[in-house]
Amino acid sequence: MSLQPLRVAALQGDEAVAEAVRQSGVDVVAAYPITPQTIIVEKLAEYAAKGNLGGEFVSVESEHSALSACVGASLTGARVFTATSSQGLAYMHEMLYNVSGMRLPVVMAVANRALSAPLVLNADHSDMMGSRDSGWIQVYAENVEEMYDRTIQLFKLCEDPRVLLPAALNFEGFILSHDKERVRLLDDEPVRRFLERPRPRHRLDPADPFTFGAMATPETYYEFRMQQSEAMETALHVFDEVERGFEGISGRRYGAVDAYNTDDADVVMVINGSAAGTMRAAARGLNAAGENVGVLSIKLFRPFPLEQVVSHLSRARAVVAMDRSMSPGAPSGPVSEDVKAALQATKPVMSVVYGIGGRDLSTEDGKKIFGMAKEGSLSGSRSVMYGVKV
Amino acid sequence: MMTEVRLHGRGGQGVVSAAQLLADAAVLEGKYVQAFPEFGAERAGAPITAYARLSDQPIEIHSSITDPDVVMVVDRSMAYFRGTAQGLAGDGCFVCNFDGPPEELRSKLGLGPSVEVIALDATGIALKSLGKDYPNTPMLGALLKATGIVGFHSVEEALGQRFRGIVLSGNEEAFRLGYRGGSS
């Protein structure tokens, strides 16, 4: 497939996702339109009102209902999208397991924001990390163009008959959702062709009946969950195929992880989301001054790219794992725990919590954290709460 | 080469829109951009901070701007707020909605001798051109004149993408007047 000329636009993160959803030929968007919602559904409602959406926009009375409506629509074989944030995702929690358990390829955008109380608006990863084990594929974008690209990629990945799992596209609220950046948009036609698929085999059809979400017993439930788990493992390989395919229409490819100077570095920082770029800028600054530090950005968090993470960290002399969520009472946050599990105690992993409730993380902060790692002041199996006021 | 701009004002004055217009204009020139607000509760009259980064290279930093090259104060009641100039580069540019001599701002705010200080009665221009106190577009005019970070016509084009009819013509006039320092 030849590359199409690109349209360059200045778009906010939310607008870029809405455009990608429109281009993906979504059949049904079901969403709760009130706080905490994103501009994504505002744009999609606008497209629908102007007759530009193609699919149907269903405005419902809660996030729980939004995802329930997504279940019904997806069961008919429709391509389905929704978006939410913070408390909205928490309110969906029960339905998240129904979507993944019925193996429905729903794609959801999550503008990651901290949870109340105290009442808060700003970014951290607590919302999605609270639903970490719900069986959804989870991708964390670093910038607006990646948000646009990942939206299209995730429909392809979720709908693959070898996968059939839902996916959450994660990006920090305000930091990315409201950030206007330059985006190279694709034309509608190559996106449409990229996402072409036969009608799903398993769907609600009176002529060919199936049952979904039926009662399972101790004799069967475990196996259903095992199949979900295996589909997650398969998704890791399909993700790579999807990225290659997407590269064919866009020239852009990200990987499940992004490694900057991880080979043979004194310290490698492992991080996910928009702060990864800030930390790379910090690392570049330090390396220009003669240091040797690296950054590993985990873009695909579920399924966790275990082998790639191990391989990129194998030669690092020290590892710092960064969590933008808190796990009270746990030794450290979810990213750190995964990195520790991946490395199997072959080397110490220092753990840092940062950016809670929108607390800013600058390149200077990044340089400080690299410095603390080198001098050993981050050691210990519990997270260091970076930037908290004492 | 990256330029970092921090904008201060109050909810309802178009502070975030001004940052976005800068970004729109820069993208029309093929530049890389970020424009984003510092979010608190959104309400009219509350202090608002917005940020813009303009660069020839892709931008990977996603933190707020603490050491700006340019500060723009959109709200005239904030002219004497010392916090607005915090972290401003020693050879930076301070553009303020202020109905008095720029040297008064320099001494009141303790701005260094190499900081370029621009004062513009943007509220006066806005009331004249738009009939409403939206000082953001005249302030953009003054900012461009002082810094040249994006082209005049790029902002005109960005305004054309955003507004229609008398809102567009009013904003175009306000922008031009701001660029010319208030004289028509």
Side-chain angles (χ1 to χ4, degrees):
Chain A
M1 210 180 292
S2 64
L3 289 182
Q4 303 288 322
L6 301 163
R7 286 181 289 139
V8 174
L11 292 178
Q12 289 186 62
D14 281 345
E15 295 171 333
V17 170
E19 177 64 0
V21 171
R22 183 194 67 75
Q23 292 185 305
S24 296
V26 73
D27 297 305
V28 176
V29 176
Y32 177 63
I34 310 173
T35 299
Q37 188 45 272
T38 63
I39 298 166
I40 301 168
V41 302
E42 221 174 290
K43 286 302 284 186
L44 289 171
E46 195 183 308
Y47 288 149
K50 288 180 178 164
N52 297 332
L53 185 61
E56 196 171 331
F57 185 93
V58 187
S59 193
V60 293
E61 76 285 4
S62 77
E63 287 86 355
H64 189 281
S65 303
L67 204 51
S68 302
C70 288
V71 168
S74 187
L75 280 171
T76 68
R79 180 170 288 160
V80 178
F81 175 85
T82 188
T84 191
S85 180
S86 181
Q87 311 298 126
L89 181 65
Y91 194 22
M92 280 180 178
H93 187 75
E94 175 192 350
M95 293 310 296
L96 292 173
Y97 290 78
N98 280 298
V99 178
S100 61
M102 286 190 245
R103 307 290 299 276
L104 301 174
V106 173
V107 173
M108 171 162 63
V110 183
N112 300 123
R113 285 164 49 183
L115 293 164
S116 298
L119 182 64
V120 62
L121 299 171
N122 305 80
D124 69 28
H125 296 158
S126 306
D127 51 7
M128 195 68 230
M129 289 305 175
S131 294
R132 184 192 60 180
D133 300 334
S134 57
W136 284 57
I137 292 165
Q138 291 159 47
V139 167
Y140 285 81
E142 285 191 28
N143 58 51
V144 172
E145 189 168 82
E146 188 178 357
M147 288 165 67
Y148 170 81
D149 291 348
R150 293 299 195 192
T151 303
I152 297 164
Q153 289 179 3
L154 285 177
F155 283 112
K156 183 83 173 171
L157 174 64
C158 294
E159 291 169 359
D160 190 293
R162 295 165 293 173
V163 177
L164 293 177
L165 289 171
L169 169 66
N170 293 275
F171 47 90
E172 285 94 353
F174 303 117
I175 296 171
L176 287 177
S177 66
H178 288 61
D179 184 20
K180 190 165 220 178
E181 296 185 0
R182 171 188 156 122
V183 185
R184 292 166 295 171
L185 298 169
L186 305 174
D187 285 335
D188 289 3
E189 187 52 25
V191 176
R192 192 193 62 76
R193 280 202 309 269
F194 178 66
L195 292 177
E196 255 174 358
R197 57 163 181 167
R199 280 201 81 175
R201 161 103 176 83
H202 301 100
R203 63 176 194 276
L204 289 181
D205 180 358
D208 183 14
F210 279 98
T211 298
F212 293 85
M215 178 84 178
T217 66
E219 289 302 308
T220 53
Y221 181 82
Y222 197 179
E223 283 67 31
F224 273 101
R225 296 308 303 267
M226 191 60 211
Q227 286 179 1
Q228 246 178 286
S229 198
E230 284 164 359
M232 269 287 183
E233 291 300 316
T234 306
L236 198 55
H237 307 291
V238 180
F239 183 81
D240 191 49
E241 285 179 32
V242 169
E243 282 218 306
R244 282 168 205 268
F246 186 78
E247 188 179 20
I249 61 166
S250 67
R252 305 198 283 263
R253 190 167 164 195
Y254 300 91
V257 299
D258 176 271
Y260 162 70
N261 193 43
T262 51
D263 293 340
D264 210 26
D266 292 328
V267 183
V268 174
M269 187 184 278
V270 186
I271 192 164
N272 58 342
S274 68
T278 314
M279 294 302 98
R280 272 198 302 277
R284 280 185 223 284
L286 289 173
N287 293 343
E291 300 217 27
N292 184 14
V293 297
V295 176
L296 185 67
S297 171
I298 307 222
K299 290 167 172 291
L300 180 63
F301 183 64
R302 288 289 179 273
F304 193 76
L306 191 64
E307 283 171 16
Q308 292 190 51
V309 170
V310 170
S311 142
H312 283 294
L313 297 179
S314 63
R315 297 180 66 195
R317 277 176 281 283
V319 175
V320 184
M322 303 280 288
D323 275 286
R324 197 165 200 152
S325 63
M326 291 182 66
S327 185
S332 58
V335 174
S336 300
E337 294 298 301
D338 283 5
V339 172
K340 287 178 191 175
L343 293 177
Q344 297 266 355
T346 52
K347 65 186 72 185
V349 175
M350 295 168 265
S351 173
V352 170
V353 168
Y354 75 99
I356 298 301
R359 184 67 53 89
D360 197 38
L361 188 79
S362 66
T363 51
E364 288 310 309
D365 293 319
K367 288 175 183 174
K368 258 185 234 169
I369 295 169
F370 277 117
M372 288 160 79
K374 282 189 82 171
E375 74 196 22
S377 59
L378 297 176
S379 302
S381 49
R382 286 184 184 277
S383 294
V384 169
M385 303 293 161
Y386 181 80
V388 76
K389 293 170 193 158
V390 285
Chain B
M1 169 75 186
M2 178 156 74
T3 307
E4 294 187 316
V5 184
R6 196 173 63 210
L7 302 90
H8 298 275
R10 294 184 184 277
Q13 291 177 328
V15 180
V16 177
S17 298
Q20 290 183 348
L21 281 163
L22 268 182
D24 290 339
V27 165
L28 289 170
E29 296 178 359
K31 292 195 173 84
Y32 293 87
V33 298
Q34 287 178 355
F36 54 102
E38 174 87 64
F39 255 87
E42 300 163 272
R43 58 199 191 277
I48 294 271
T49 307
Y51 306 92
R53 285 191 175 97
L54 281 61
S55 175
D56 301 326
Q57 302 292 322
I59 305 167
E60 55 181 358
I61 298 171
H62 281 92
S63 58
S64 64
I65 294 169
T66 50
D67 305 304
D69 303 295
V70 180
V71 165
M72 177 166 123
V73 181
V74 176
D75 180 59
R76 74 188 329 177
S77 79
M78 291 168 83
Y80 290 155
F81 282 21
R82 277 181 158 259
T84 57
Q86 198 166 16
L88 177 63
D91 59 350
C93 181
F94 185 84
V95 192
C96 187
N97 181 2
F98 183 63
D99 187 14
E103 287 314 308
E104 189 179 323
L105 286 175
R106 189 189 302 278
S107 62
K108 283 259 189 199
L109 298 173
L111 301 170
S114 301
V115 172
E116 186 179 3
V117 184
I118 308 289
L120 178 78
D121 178 17
T123 297
I125 293 173
L127 289 174
K128 202 170 119 195
S129 307
L130 296 157
K132 291 192 175 83
D133 184 12
Y134 291 131
N136 59 343
T137 40
M139 286 304 296
L140 265 185
L143 176 94
L144 255 63
K145 179 72 177 176
T147 64
I149 50 173
V150 284
F152 181 88
H153 296 294
S154 307
V155 174
E156 278 196 320
E157 198 176 331
L159 285 169
Q161 288 174 352
R162 183 173 285 248
F163 300 118
R164 294 278 175 274
I166 55 162
V167 179
L168 174 60
S169 54
N171 272 292
E172 282 173 335
E173 188 192 312
F175 172 64
R176 275 196 297 270
L177 282 169
Y179 189 82
R180 291 179 196 145
S183 58
S184 51

